């Protein structure tokens, strides 16, 4: 059964980890371990992503139609072999990612935020 796709706005706001997953997948199909490593490399907080949290979010994003399983890329042998499960963005996932990025930009692109960042 195909998931019922809601309008883009109904998927927002995204959880931070969901948005991070979609951002990584915006670079192309990849597997869970690489998603974790990419997110952790981009995150200065030092927070670790536990596999259970990652795969729960992936399952939820998949159920909402924002990502889907994918065939491994041609160079998959170099990244752990064909046994890994790969994921890619759907068009809806790309649309939601763009809308979320726009939403976040509008939140921080205000005079109050600029004043706050320039204080102290």
């Amino acid at each position: 059964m195909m998931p019922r796709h809601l309008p883009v706005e109904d998927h927002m706001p995204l959880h931070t980890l969901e948005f991070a997953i979609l951002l990584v997948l915006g670079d192309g199909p990849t597997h869970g371990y690489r998603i974790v490593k990419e997110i952790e490399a981009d995150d200065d907080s030092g927070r670790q992503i536990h596999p259970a949290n990652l795969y729960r979010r992936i399952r939820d994003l998949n159920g909402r139609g924002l990502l889907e399983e994918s065939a491994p890329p041609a160079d998959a042998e170099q990244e752990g072999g064909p046994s890994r499960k790969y994921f890619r963005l759907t068009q809806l996932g790309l649309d939601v990612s763009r809308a979320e990025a726009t939403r976040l930009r509008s939140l921080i692109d205000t005079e109050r935020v600029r004043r706050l960042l320039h204080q102290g």
Side-chain angles (χ1 to χ4, degrees):
M1 181 168 99
M2 291 295 291
R4 182 176 151 257
H5 298 298
L6 300 171
V8 168
E9 304 79 35
D10 288 355
H11 292 280
M12 298 169 27
L14 289 172
H15 182 276
T16 305
L17 181 54
E18 291 175 340
F19 187 49
I21 291 167
L22 295 179
L23 287 175
V24 170
L25 292 176
D27 292 337
T30 194
H31 53 80
Y33 183 71
R34 167 119 356 194
I35 292 170
V36 167
K37 291 302 168 196
E38 294 286 329
I39 292 171
E40 288 177 352
D42 289 344
D43 187 353
D44 294 337
S45 73
R47 117 186 124 137
Q48 291 185 329
I49 299 167
H50 300 284
N53 289 340
L54 175 74
Y55 284 102
R56 185 186 73 225
R57 295 290 177 177
I58 286 174
R59 184 186 68 236
D60 292 347
L61 291 167
N62 185 14
R64 290 163 47 198
L66 303 182
L67 60 80
E68 61 191 6
E69 284 191 42
S70 169
D75 61 351
E77 293 297 324
Q78 299 170 2
E79 294 190 53
S83 64
R84 293 192 189 260
K85 203 179 259 190
Y86 284 76
F87 306 95
R88 68 178 175 198
L89 280 181
T90 62
Q91 183 61 52
L92 178 61
L94 179 60
D95 294 344
V96 170
S97 298
R98 287 179 175 153
E100 181 71 353
T102 300
R103 184 187 74 80
L104 292 171
R105 182 179 7 180
S106 71
L107 285 174
I108 62 167
D109 196 21
T110 65
E111 183 59 33
R112 283 192 178 111
V113 172
R114 284 192 288 275
R115 283 195 313 260
L116 174 68
L117 293 175
H118 289 98
Q119 290 175 353

